[in-house]
């Protein structure tokens, strides 16, 4: 028998208990042993719920019980999750977590403790909910050298952008609707400003490139400035606006990473990822293109990924699973040196002025928006774009990057 303790009985924690209880026969068969939930830690009481029989309020009970083999952390946030997880690992207990903030900030340290103790720290559910992207990067794609990861990594913002594009609604209206449906928190900052996606691409990039990418070094821009007018232009171009988290290897040893809205064309597999779904596009030098698609959040999809880690840890109870992630920092190139194309809306400028400054451009006019037009630049470095834009003397309404 392998005893586990679940830290937190919220949405994901209750889902973990449900998944293990519902699929216990198949889970035990795959783990090669019986998985037994010995404790659930939460400050609250749950009268009428069978969890009351195993509910504890004091972490010390779990930390000091030598029979607990695996700790499942689904509390969220940095503290007390970090303290609890570190203590569990130091006590020789494997840990799995869905906590992206914890992994993005303390991942290298916690993985190093796990290596030293010959146990495991796994975090499949931290980046794509039910999408098995971590395991793919860590085992299935090890023959490849990954040179790009680009993902729609936040279901809330993807839902909001989808509604804005299909219904012509403005940002505030779709945010309110997302909150009413439970897709967005009362404080949606982490989602709409891109911080959630930023932490996820930091984790995925660290695994893909073998060095620690500090999320604080990633340029991050949210969707709060996207308007129905932007969506109208996108529709006219046969494109869609997506919040993308992306990192790419440039040349032999340079890397960049960013989170920002992009115009995505129909030739991209990310174009048709709509509603609350997530997707991760990966390019390898041998594999070529691959995409992982599914539910990026939600109680049971996320819990399913967590339980998959429990099974993996049960099968490798006292044997560390190697990961391609070291504590060496991944240095990012200056964003001004990153090349791309740019969609730009201007008011008060002329087509001749734009073409004098930017050269050959794709001009877009919409009849319903008199007095302005938009253009898409040729490929250029971001620093070059900024220098050219200054010559338009404040006539730019907005800029959205273009995904090629």
């Amino acid at each position: 028998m392998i005893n586990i303790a679940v830290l937190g009985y919220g949405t994901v924690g209750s889902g973990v208990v449900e998944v293990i209880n519902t699929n216990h026969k198949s889970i035990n068969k795959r783990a090669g042993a019986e998985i037994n939930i010995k404790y659930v830690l939460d400050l609250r009481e749950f009268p009428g719920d069978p969890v009351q029989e195993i509910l504890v309020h004091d972490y010390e009970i779990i930390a000091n019980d030598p029979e607990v083999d695996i700790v499942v952390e689904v509390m969220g946030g940095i503290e007390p999750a970090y303290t609890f997880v570190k203590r569990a690992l130091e006590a020789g207990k494997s840990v799995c977590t869905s906590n992206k903030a914890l992994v993005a900030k303390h991942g290298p340290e916690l993985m190093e403790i796990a290596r030293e103790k010959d146990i495991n720290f796994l975090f499949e559910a931290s980046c794509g909910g039910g999408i098995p992207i971590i395991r793919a990067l860590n085992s299935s794609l090890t023959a490849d050298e990954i040179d790009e990861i680009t993902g729609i990594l936040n279901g809330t913002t993807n839902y909001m952008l989808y509604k804005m594009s299909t219904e012509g609604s403005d940002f505030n209206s779709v945010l309110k609707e997302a909150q009413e449906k439970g897709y967005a928190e009362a404080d949606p900052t982490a989602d709409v400003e891109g911080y959630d996606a930023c932490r996820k691409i930091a984790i995925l990039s660290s695994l893909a490139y073998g060095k620690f990418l500090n999320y604080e070094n990633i340029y991050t821009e949210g969707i709060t400035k996207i308007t129905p007018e932007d969506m109208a232009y996108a529709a006219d171009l046969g494109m869609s606006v997506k919040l993308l988290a992306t990192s790419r290897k440039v040349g032999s040893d340079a890397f960049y990473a960013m989170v920002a809205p992009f115009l995505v064309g129909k030739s991209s597999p990310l174009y048709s990822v709509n509603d609350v779904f997530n997707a991760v596009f990966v390019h390898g030098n041998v594999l070529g293109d691959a995409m992982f698609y599914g539910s990026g959040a939600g109680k049971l999809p996320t819990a399913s990924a967590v339980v998959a880690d429990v099974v993996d840890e049960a099968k490798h109870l006292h044997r560390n699973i190697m990961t391609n992630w070291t504590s060496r920092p991944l240095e990012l190139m200056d964003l001004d040196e990153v090349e791309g194309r740019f969609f730009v809306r201007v008011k008060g400028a002329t087509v001749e002025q734009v073409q004098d400054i930017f050269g050959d451009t794709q001009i877009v006019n919409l009849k319903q928006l008199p007095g302005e037009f938009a253009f898409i630049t040729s490929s250029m470095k971001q620093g070059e774009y900024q220098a050219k834009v200054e010559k338009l003397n404040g006539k730019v309404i907005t800029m959205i990057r273009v995904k090629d």
Side-chain angles (χ1 to χ4, degrees), residues 237-292:
L237 288 162
M239 305 177 85
S240 62
V241 180
K242 305 289 187 185
L243 182 69
L244 299 185
T246 183
S247 67
R248 183 176 286 186
K249 184 177 182 180
V250 182
S252 58
D253 58 357
F255 297 87
Y256 74 83
M258 73 171 71
V259 176
F262 280 78
L263 273 175
V264 178
K266 291 180 180 178
S267 61
S268 169
L270 295 169
Y271 171 85
S272 56
V273 178
N274 294 319
D275 217 300
V276 294
F277 285 93
N278 283 195
V280 183
F281 169 87
V282 178
H283 184 272
N285 67 338
V286 177
L287 171 72
D289 295 345
M291 195 171 84
F292 301 79

Side-chain angles (χ1 to χ4, degrees), residues 31-281:
E34 183 181 349
I35 304 295
N36 175 58
I37 306 172
K38 188 170 185 181
Y39 302 111
V40 170
L41 176 75
D42 204 289
L43 293 175
R44 299 164 294 177
E45 299 287 344
F46 299 92
D49 190 319
V51 78
Q52 281 288 139
E53 297 177 12
I54 54 173
L55 189 68
V56 296
H57 305 301
D58 184 0
Y59 179 68
E60 296 302 318
I61 296 171
I62 295 168
N64 296 322
D65 187 343
E67 293 185 352
V68 173
D69 303 296
I70 298 170
V71 171
V72 176
E73 187 280 305
V74 283
M75 304 166 67
I78 299 296
E79 287 293 355
Y82 168 65
T83 299
F84 289 176
V85 166
K86 186 175 180 180
R87 283 193 61 196
L89 291 169
E90 289 173 339
K93 306 177 193 299
S94 286
V95 174
C96 56
T97 182
S98 61
N99 190 337
K100 58 196 166 279
L102 175 68
V103 179
K105 188 172 182 65
H106 295 292
E109 176 194 1
L110 298 173
M111 280 187 285
E112 184 57 37
I113 296 171
R115 276 191 287 267
E116 290 172 359
K117 295 287 184 179
D118 212 17
I119 52 177
N120 290 291
F121 175 67
L122 301 181
F123 41 90
E124 181 64 70
S126 65
C127 288
I131 303 172
I133 183 62
I134 301 288
R135 196 165 278 104
L137 289 174
N138 199 37
S139 57
S140 304
L141 301 178
T142 51
D144 271 75
E145 290 206 9
I146 304 299
D147 53 35
E148 180 186 353
I149 298 179
T150 299
I152 295 171
L153 297 176
N154 183 272
T156 300
T157 50
N158 201 45
Y159 170 82
M160 292 174 63
L161 291 172
Y162 177 63
K163 297 297 276 188
M164 289 177 72
S165 68
T166 56
E167 298 179 0
S169 307
D170 62 21
F171 173 84
N172 290 324
S173 298
V174 295
L175 174 58
K176 183 178 179 182
E177 183 180 337
Q179 288 171 322
E180 289 171 351
K181 290 192 172 184
Y183 297 150
E185 302 287 343
D187 179 1
T189 305
D191 293 326
V192 300
E193 294 293 356
Y195 304 148
D196 175 79
C198 172
R199 284 163 175 78
K200 292 174 180 176
I201 195 63
I203 295 168
L204 294 175
S205 301
S206 296
L207 281 168
Y209 308 131
K211 295 181 180 180
F212 175 51
L213 176 53
N214 187 336
Y215 70 90
E216 294 177 345
N217 297 334
I218 299 174
Y219 173 80
T220 303
E221 180 184 325
I223 66 166
T224 56
K225 296 177 182 176
I226 300 297
T227 66
E229 289 77 17
D230 296 328
M231 293 298 186
Y233 277 109
D236 189 73
L237 288 162
M239 305 177 85
S240 62
V241 180
K242 305 289 187 185
L243 182 69
L244 299 185
T246 183
S247 67
R248 183 176 286 186
K249 184 177 182 180
V250 182
S252 58
D253 58 357
F255 297 87
Y256 74 83
M258 73 171 71
V259 176
F262 280 78
L263 273 175
V264 178
K266 291 180 180 178
S267 61
S268 169
L270 295 169
Y271 171 85
S272 56
V273 178
N274 294 319
D275 217 300
V276 294
F277 285 93
N278 283 195
V280 183
F281 169 87

Side-chain angles (χ1 to χ4, degrees), residues 1 11 30 53-54 71 83 110 119 176 188 224 245 248 253 262 272 302 309 323 336-337 354 362 366 382 400-401 404:
M1 180 182 290
T11 301
R30 287 169 181 148
E53 297 177 12
I54 54 173
V71 171
T83 299
L110 298 173
I119 52 177
K176 183 178 179 182
T224 56
R248 183 176 286 186
D253 58 357
F262 280 78
S272 56
T302 305
D309 278 347
T323 57
D336 281 349
E337 295 300 308
V354 165
Q362 179 182 351
L366 294 183
Q382 184 161 304
I400 302 174
R401 293 167 178 83
D404 289 315

